[in-house]
Amino acid sequence: MLDAALQNQLKTYLENVREPIELVPSSDDSAKSREMAELLSEIAALSDKVSVAAEEANERSPSFAIRRTGTDIAVRFAGLPMGHEFTSLVLALLHVGGHKPKTPEDVLDQVRALDGDYHFETYFSLSCQNCPDVVQALNLMSVVNPRIRHTAIDGGSFKQEVEDRKVMAVPSVYLNGEPFGQGRMELEQILAKLDTGSEAKAAEKLSAKEPYEVLIVGGGPAGAAAGVYAARKGIRTGIVAERFGGQVLDTMGIENFTSIKYTEGPKLGAELEEHVRHNEVDLMNLQRAEELIPAAEEGGYHELRLKNGASLKARAIILSTGARWRQLGVPGEEEYRNKGVAYCPHCDGPLFKGKPVAVIGGGNSGVEAAIDLAGIVKEVTLIEYDGSLRADEVLQRKLRSLKNVRIITSAMTTEVNGNGEKVTGLTYKDRDSGESHELTLDGIFVQIGLVPNTEWLQGTVALTQHGEIEVDAKGGTSVPGVYAGGDATTTPFKQIVIAMGEGSKAALGAFDYLMRLAPPEEQREAA
């Protein structure tokens, strides 16, 4: 089940287990149960603090609990947590086994203080890179607070259950049998939904922070690079990020990052965060910026207001807010979002196994999505607005070699069709003939490019008609002391390596700006 390298790695991790734990299986006569039994035996053989207990009845088989011996502290996996969820399995073993988590103690205290009985169920897919964050957060909560229970469920192993609950996007979380949330969520976000007073406390704490020399808005590759470069200049630096890592976290294979032949988005995102924290940058994650108030005079403090009501100040601001997936903007898209309309083929593709789907978009991302999905679904129809595909030729050749892929060009999607509960197809217009056609589908994956996250900056800094921040050669914007870098700007070619370079340049530009200002004491004397 586990190769030698994984066994050696896991054995090293299990040396951190402090309390004895038992693996409690619930099996049937399926091949999956036999695989689970093999996995549990291999894990138990790696540590004298881990044992396999007797079978236990459970509503889901195969499944297994990880329980601290003699206590009610436990988490449960339904199906085999391999792929991206193997890390969740490792952390569950450690935390149930008494290893101290890295989560700040004040956050853990919030979890302990939750009053009520909470039974969470999370549906994940083994190829979903966003699912582990949710699974790990809820697992940790169930370890910290005995009134919280959590079961992580592999949707691919419990297809009927997924059908019955109409789960069409992962991660999907249920609380006490009712839908709780979909998509990537951090522990703090889950807490905010359960503890309504936590947001006000967080805002008060943030507003009490001293002003920064440089404050970066956005935590993707550009923001991370800006943070490292600014902090290395010895100036007080902060990063406000709605989701540290940004679009990188939704990217699977990265093969064009110079000097690294292959990596994956979640791994790169974790390494970016580690590098940023190593340089003692004040990272404020899960915080959304809502308003920028420029300084009244050059050299003064700019003010950044956050959605939770907090206010931060800095002498220089770097905007690296990145971009998000562009939507079709047609009837039915929003209604059936996460009900068949999806934007992440890696996350949600396995939920459409054996079913017909469409991919909208003939650029690199669209063609790559179609190639990936072709190995899972019954049939892929790729729909492109232009008269020909725009993806790299090597990708087009691969796509055309697949027998279950159909390509339709010069086609404009006009409507997403559904039955009130889920997608049933789409309507498109042939741009050459003007005729409308309908396709019967179970899923629609939208891959038509990116939109800069700059709506909140309207009227503050100069933007193009497409919403991109206009920048000069040093990353400067139309507002003195405000710089920008990455996918949100007019810099062409939206690539990770380019975003990092532009973020670094913006930080150097901001530092140059600060060095040319009169020293703070001289400013006070002049006033």
Side-chain angles (χ1 to χ4, degrees), residues 432-455:
D432 295 328
S433 68
E435 295 181 5
S436 287
H437 303 271
E438 289 192 5
L439 295 176
T440 300
L441 303 161
D442 285 297
I444 299 169
F445 291 83
V446 182
Q447 302 282 290
I448 56 173
L450 301 170
V451 178
N453 297 315
T454 57
E455 293 88 348

Side-chain angles (χ1 to χ4, degrees), residues 247 288 321-327 449-455:
Q247 285 282 345
R288 180 169 185 159
T321 49
R324 64 186 183 278
W325 290 116
R326 185 184 300 276
Q327 294 184 264
L450 301 170
V451 178
N453 297 315
T454 57
E455 293 88 348

Side-chain angles (χ1 to χ4, degrees), residues 32 43 100 142 154 166 181 236 250 266 287 357 374 430 441 479 495 517:
K32 283 288 185 183
I43 294 172
K100 185 176 175 59
S142 68
D154 174 20
K166 299 179 175 63
R236 178 168 161 74
D250 301 326
Q287 303 298 332
V357 303
D430 186 316
L441 303 161
V479 177
Q495 298 288 309
L517 292 176

Side-chain angles (χ1 to χ4, degrees), residues 188-266:
E188 290 85 349
Q189 289 172 299
I190 297 170
L191 272 173
K193 294 186 71 171
L194 298 173
D195 180 6
T196 55
S198 63
E199 190 170 62
K201 296 173 187 174
E204 183 179 358
K205 186 176 179 180
L206 288 170
S207 295
K209 290 179 178 285
E210 293 293 322
Y212 297 89
E213 289 297 295
V214 171
L215 180 61
I216 299 153
V217 188
V228 170
Y229 266 72
R232 284 175 60 83
K233 293 295 184 181
I235 56 180
R236 178 168 161 74
T237 304
I239 293 180
V240 171
E242 185 173 357
R243 180 175 70 144
F244 191 87
Q247 285 282 345
V248 162
L249 300 178
D250 301 326
T251 306
M252 280 297 293
I254 300 171
E255 298 178 299
N256 57 354
F257 191 75
T258 312
S259 82
I260 299 176
K261 293 179 182 178
Y262 179 84
T263 188
E264 295 182 349

Side-chain angles (χ1 to χ4, degrees), residues 216-226 243 245-251 254 256-257 268 272 318-326 365 449-457 462-464 466-471 475 483-506:
I216 299 153
V217 188
R243 180 175 70 144
Q247 285 282 345
V248 162
L249 300 178
D250 301 326
T251 306
I254 300 171
N256 57 354
F257 191 75
L268 179 58
L272 289 175
I318 296 175
L319 303 169
S320 57
T321 49
R324 64 186 183 278
W325 290 116
R326 185 184 300 276
S365 60
L450 301 170
V451 178
N453 297 315
T454 57
E455 293 88 348
W456 65 286
L457 293 168
L463 305 175
T464 68
H466 302 296
E468 295 178 324
I469 304 169
E470 296 181 354
V471 291
Y483 291 76
D487 288 359
T489 73
T490 49
T491 300
F493 312 120
K494 312 306 184 185
Q495 298 288 309
I496 293 171
V497 70
I498 292 173
M500 286 183 173
E502 293 298 305
S504 304
K505 184 169 69 175

Side-chain angles (χ1 to χ4, degrees), residues 347-395:
C347 300
D348 300 331
L351 299 176
F352 296 89
K353 185 176 182 178
K355 299 177 180 180
V357 303
V359 173
I360 314 298
N364 281 353
S365 60
V367 171
E368 287 173 349
I371 292 170
D372 288 343
L373 289 166
I376 303 171
V377 304
K378 179 181 179 181
E379 182 184 42
V380 179
T381 301
L382 188 143
I383 298 175
E384 166 56 32
Y385 181 86
D386 288 340
S388 60
L389 302 184
R390 295 168 286 108
D392 294 342
E393 185 58 36
V394 64
L395 293 174

Side-chain angles (χ1 to χ4, degrees), residues 23 33 59 81 131 141 144 159 172 180 199 230 239 339 342 347 365-366 370 374 415 458 462 480 483 526:
L23 309 177
S33 284
E59 60 184 306
C131 295
M141 290 175 68
V144 171
K159 295 177 184 177
S172 284
F180 176 78
E199 190 170 62
I239 293 180
K339 297 177 182 178
C347 300
S365 60
E415 187 172 2
Q458 290 280 352
Y483 291 76

Side-chain angles (χ1 to χ4, degrees), residues 402-423:
L402 301 173
K403 295 182 179 180
N404 63 337
V405 172
R406 177 167 56 141
I407 300 170
I408 302 175
T409 57
S410 296
M412 180 174 70
T413 304
T414 56
E415 187 172 2
V416 172
N417 307 320
N419 60 9
E421 293 185 346
K422 63 180 182 178
V423 163

